[in-house]
Amino acid sequence: MFIAWSLWVLSVLLSPPPIGNPYPPALPISIPDAQIRPLRELVDAGLQKRLEGQLHRNRLWSRLLAAKKMAVGIVDLSDPYHVKFARVNGDEMMYAASLPKLAILLAAAQALEDGRLPESEEILNDMRIMISRSDNEAATRMMDRVGFSNIVAVLIDPRYELYDTQRGGLWVGKRYAKTSKRYPDPLMGLSHAASVTQVCRFYYLLAMGKLVSAERSRQMLDMLCNPELHHKFVNALDVIAPEAKVYRKSGTWRIWHSDSALVWGPGGRQYIVAALIEDSRGEQILRDLIPAIETVLKSQSKRQPKTAAQASIAPLEGFFQK
């Protein structure tokens, strides 16, 4: 029994932290830069299959996905060293209303870092309520302070690449005001737009502390945390995961509904989810989507393979117990 116990201890020591770690790491996550891979390279076949299967179980969702009027992306961050990404219609660029205020937030943080904006209480408050309340007047003031050309420069910056003319991405081409000049994106001609892949990349880079700097990433996380609007994703998460922190930005205009969140809670509940929908039922679809996403992630955690150490020692445990 002593030998069996010793082998079990050895297997634990040789194994990486479990996927269902009850204590999530602090944000931003601190891991070596060499371990942070581009999100597009982290598409996981198993997670992709389970996401597609879960979404297509719903006939309405299946029709919307086929018509490219619904897009969904998820990132499993429960093991930061082995991140998994899946998406359906990931590069479909859609109208996203207020969700692209994420781009204004990033451009403002970059301007603060570069010294082009003063870090005043007024500016920091506008950045916060632009996100937490989706305040259009605050967003317009921030756009005027930063400047449209500077917002675009940050979005196409090689460090971030949150918009490109081949696949689109995040775009803010109009002030959030009734009368304003439009600067439509070059690919789709939209004023306020996003793709779920680029939204997931925004949160992924943010979670890894790679938007501007670790300190500015932490500042943006604080502004995204504790949203004041409790609808869509947050409505479902209030019930399913009341103990989790939710970093979130959503958008709604007429039949276009969007939401995005970094969910950070105990028991392996560490993930990014983004969805864009063109349908009058979008609000309810986004609420119903969260339980479906959690089902996908839970089924994934149950399928985690044994480590090499566990696999080699498992047969010996039975032998020594005889």
Side-chain angles (χ1 to χ4, degrees), residues 286-303:
L286 290 167
R287 294 187 184 197
D288 295 340
L289 192 59
I290 289 297
I293 294 301
E294 295 236 337
T295 297
V296 170
L297 293 169
K298 286 177 182 176
S299 65
Q300 150 122 336
S301 65
K302 292 177 182 177
R303 294 169 182 253

Side-chain angles (χ1 to χ4, degrees), residues 85-281:
F85 175 44
R87 70 282 178 264
V88 181
N89 291 333
D91 287 329
E92 287 298 320
M93 198 170 173
M94 298 171 64
Y95 184 75
S98 289
L99 189 149
K101 289 173 183 175
L102 292 172
I104 306 173
L105 179 68
L106 172 59
Q110 188 69 62
L112 290 173
E113 184 73 5
D114 296 342
R116 290 182 287 107
L117 271 185
E119 200 154 349
S120 67
E121 183 177 344
E122 180 184 7
I123 285 176
L124 294 176
N125 184 63
D126 272 353
M127 290 171 68
R128 185 188 64 80
I129 64 174
M130 169 185 75
I131 298 298
S132 64
R133 298 179 194 168
S134 202
D135 189 296
N136 284 339
E137 292 182 357
T140 296
R141 287 193 294 269
M142 289 310 306
M143 286 191 73
D144 290 344
R145 289 169 180 141
V146 176
F148 172 72
S149 61
N150 289 321
I151 294 173
V152 173
V154 169
L155 290 175
I156 65 175
D157 190 309
R159 291 174 294 175
Y160 313 131
E161 293 183 334
L162 289 167
Y163 182 89
D164 69 70
T165 55
Q166 299 300 313
R167 292 178 290 200
L170 278 173
W171 186 265
V172 182
K174 183 179 178 294
R175 297 160 78 237
Y176 285 89
K178 290 183 178 180
T179 57
S180 177
K181 186 175 180 179
R182 289 181 71 246
Y183 299 90
D185 86 277
L187 183 65
M188 297 295 292
L190 297 169
S191 297
H192 302 130
S195 68
V196 294
T197 291
Q198 291 289 41
V199 175
C200 285
R201 286 189 66 252
F202 176 95
Y203 283 99
Y204 174 65
L205 293 170
L206 186 65
M208 295 297 178
K210 295 303 175 185
L211 288 186
V212 185
S213 67
E215 187 54 42
R216 291 297 179 192
S217 291
R218 187 175 296 108
Q219 186 180 48
M220 284 184 276
L221 283 163
D222 288 342
M223 293 173 178
L224 286 157
C225 194
N226 300 321
E228 296 184 35
L229 302 177
H230 286 245
H231 57 357
K232 304 176 189 174
F233 284 171
V234 178
N235 178 274
L237 288 164
D238 282 343
V239 177
I240 293 174
E243 77 290 352
K245 285 190 175 182
V246 180
Y247 305 83
R248 179 270 193 128
K249 187 70 196 83
S250 70
T252 296
W253 188 69
R254 295 184 180 176
I255 63 170
W256 288 272
H257 302 265
S258 59
D259 211 345
S260 62
L262 168 60
V263 183
W264 211 245
R269 183 178 269 121
Q270 294 118 45
Y271 63 88
I272 295 163
V273 57
L276 306 170
I277 297 166
E278 182 186 342
D279 190 88
S280 60
R281 295 156 288 189

Side-chain angles (χ1 to χ4, degrees), residues 19 50 76 78 84 299-306:
I19 296 300
R50 288 188 286 280
D76 182 359
S78 57
K84 295 178 174 64
S299 65
Q300 150 122 336
S301 65
K302 292 177 182 177
R303 294 169 182 253
Q304 294 300 321
K306 290 183 178 181

